Amino acid sequence: MSASVLPIRGFFTFPWDLLAEPVEATLKVMQETYLSNAIVIAGSYHQARLFAPRGEQSYYMERPASTLAFHPTLSFYPPEGPWPVVDLSIADPAIIAQARDVAATLDMQFLVWLVTLHSSTLGQAHPDLCVQNLAGDRYSFNLCPSQPRVRSYAMGLVRDVCKQAHPHSLILESPSFMSASHESYHMGVSTPIGEAAGWLLGLCFCSRCLARAQAQDIDALGALYDARSLLPALLQDNADSLPDAHGPSPLTAILLGWPRLRAYAEMRMDVVMSLLTEMTHVAHDANARVQVIINADVGHVSRAWMLGLDVGKLGAAVDGAVVLANPSDTIGLQREMSMLRALAPSLPMNVSLDAGYPATLDRDALVHAAIASTEASAEGVLYRNWGLLTSQRLDWVRAANVAVLGLP
């Protein structure tokens, strides 16, 4: 099937998983055995500990730094930094370029996945550019999108990867604020942090965010005062528990009753949506589309606003959305897609299915999730993650693609 024909069927893939065998051999297996017509390769990725069940020489891999998979053009980035850190083991053999050339030969869609503002490596090197919470704590895992140098870095990253890799499409992860509960380390948390407390802790009150709010006639210091006043009581046991069916959640009550915090939330969406618009313009200049993962770190499409993503306005900023989904929760998957269609009816969508354990419990769950995705008018299904799946689960992916294509 031609790469230009829907539905798209592909694997999220780490570039280091293409080192063991010739790149052409691996992509041919993806295409011929597992019926893929696309590959989504990580151009930048965060710190991680990974288990590769099909590894013959190594099963366990630790990625101690947030790195780039190619040699950057430093002139594209802010003179004062941040500058991307390079993984020489995959940049020197030019794995990204090899994958691009092979994909073109095989008529496969070539997409590049960029983890953008989630970088503990850069955050630790530039603490002044990180999100700063209501108490002044810095979150090294999240570069603040209000910071001009961070925005320049994000634009440079898009320009760089488009110039070097020439992808059909970019998939952006974390081009936004992040949840305060994101685990960069083994977190020691003995206090229940509910939705409202988590959101308050995730608000950035760095000098740039405060200045942006004040420039929009928002009482930023008043919002900071409100956040500091509300948080202690919410951190008491059960104060911020899940809402019942008869009343609003604590977070809803805060947004309705504290206008300064509501205005601050709207300012955050302006910050993120303007950055996405600028990044998309850069990509379009290189003939690449831009899609954004909208529910990473918050779980649900309806909570994307907590990261600064305005789902209803995404169509004016990017070319499409990627929804992360749990295949074993068919009702939840359908709810996420329905929510996206309700908020952004014409926005193109891909669904990313976690084919690993425990998100996918059996073959039928993955097959049904893939069918449900395409029946909901998704452009395609992208499976996570090539290097992390057992051979049996790869066979489940094949079965899902057979069902999507309507093959016997």
Side-chain angles (χ1 to χ4, degrees):
M1 175 176 285
S2 170
S4 62
V5 176
L6 300 179
I8 297 169
R9 306 168 310 283
F11 288 99
F12 278 88
T13 308
F14 297 126
W16 49 84
D17 288 327
L18 302 180
L19 287 172
E21 302 289 340
V23 174
E24 182 176 8
T26 302
L27 265 65
K28 278 188 174 180
V29 169
M30 290 181 181
Q31 183 183 64
E32 296 174 1
T33 303
Y34 301 109
L35 306 182
S36 294
N37 62 355
I39 180 172
V40 185
I41 190 166
S44 62
Y45 198 68
H46 52 70
Q47 294 166 292
R49 298 181 183 91
L50 305 167
F51 182 74
R54 306 194 313 279
E56 296 180 359
Q57 298 178 343
S58 175
Y59 286 96
Y60 178 83
M61 175 179 290
E62 185 159 354
R63 311 295 301 181
S66 305
T67 56
L68 206 62
F70 55 91
H71 288 286
T73 306
L74 290 182
S75 62
F76 290 163
Y77 301 91
E80 309 88 351
W83 299 333
V85 176
V86 182
D87 185 338
L88 296 178
S89 69
I90 49 181
D92 284 349
I95 294 297
I96 295 279
Q98 289 188 53
R100 174 201 63 209
D101 294 343
V102 171
T105 300
L106 298 177
D107 197 22
M108 295 176 71
Q109 286 267 359
F110 178 68
L111 300 87
V112 175
W113 163 33
L114 293 178
V115 177
T116 50
L117 306 189
H118 173 29
S119 173
S120 296
T121 301
L122 297 184
Q124 290 165 4
H126 300 275
D128 56 314
L129 300 181
C130 295
V131 165
Q132 179 179 336
N133 74 10
L134 52 81
D137 307 316
R138 301 279 186 174
Y139 296 152
S140 62
F141 58 82
N142 191 187
L143 299 172
C144 176
S146 288
Q147 293 283 344
R149 282 164 53 195
V150 171
R151 297 171 75 89
S152 180
Y153 165 80
M155 304 267 285
L157 186 60
V158 170
R159 183 175 290 109
D160 209 356
V161 75
C162 285
K163 181 177 180 180
Q164 296 200 43
H166 307 290
H168 294 104
S169 184
L170 293 178
I171 293 182
L172 302 181
E173 179 179 344
S174 70
S176 60
F177 298 100
M178 295 180 66
S179 166
S181 61
H182 187 89
E183 295 189 9
S184 296
Y185 306 96
H186 290 289
M187 293 286 286
V189 180
S190 299
T191 300
I193 300 176
E195 183 181 56
W199 179 70
L200 291 173
L201 283 167
L203 294 177
C204 181
F205 292 100
C206 73
S207 59
R208 290 290 182 174
C209 281
L210 291 174
R212 279 180 172 267
Q214 290 164 349
Q216 297 179 26
D217 294 325
I218 294 170
D219 185 355
L221 295 179
L224 174 57
Y225 173 83
D226 290 342
R228 287 176 173 173
S229 299
L230 285 163
L231 182 62
L234 290 170
L235 290 178
Q236 298 303 312
D237 287 358
N238 300 319
D240 190 16
S241 59
L242 292 174
D244 60 34
H246 304 292
S249 69
L251 182 53
T252 301
I254 288 171
L255 292 172
L256 291 174
W258 277 261
R260 293 185 296 201
L261 284 171
R262 183 171 66 250
Y264 205 77
E266 292 170 350
M267 178 277 297
R268 285 161 54 89
M269 289 193 282
D270 290 339
V271 168
V272 172
M273 299 305 292
S274 64
L275 177 59
L276 283 174
T277 299
E278 293 166 7
M279 295 170 78
T280 300
H281 286 162
V282 171
H284 284 180
D285 287 342
N287 297 315
R289 298 174 72 234
V290 172
Q291 303 174 58
V292 62
I293 299 174
I294 59 175
N295 60 332
D297 217 28
V298 289
H300 302 289
V301 170
S302 60
R303 292 177 179 165
W305 68 270
M306 298 171 70
L307 307 178
L309 293 168
D310 188 336
V311 176
K313 296 180 180 178
L314 273 178
V318 297
D319 302 300
V322 177
V323 177
L324 304 183
N326 182 338
S328 291
D329 182 7
T330 304
I331 294 176
L333 167 62
Q334 292 171 336
R335 182 171 58 243
E336 293 302 307
M337 293 186 294
S338 296
M339 177 61 69
L340 180 59
R341 283 287 169 255
L343 297 176
S346 60
L347 184 69
M349 169 182 63
N350 279 302
V351 175
S352 174
L353 298 177
D354 183 351
Y357 176 87
T360 296
L361 297 178
D362 54 44
R363 172 186 175 277
D364 288 347
L366 191 63
V367 170
H368 293 155
I371 292 172
S373 299
T374 54
E375 287 180 346
S377 302
E379 287 188 341
V381 183
L382 305 171
Y383 303 94
R384 309 194 307 276
N385 185 298
W386 172 258
L388 305 183
L389 299 176
T390 63
S391 296
Q392 181 187 44
R393 287 175 181 272
L394 290 177
D395 289 340
W396 295 357
V397 170
R398 175 185 168 82
N401 284 337
V402 165
V404 165
L405 292 170
L407 299 176

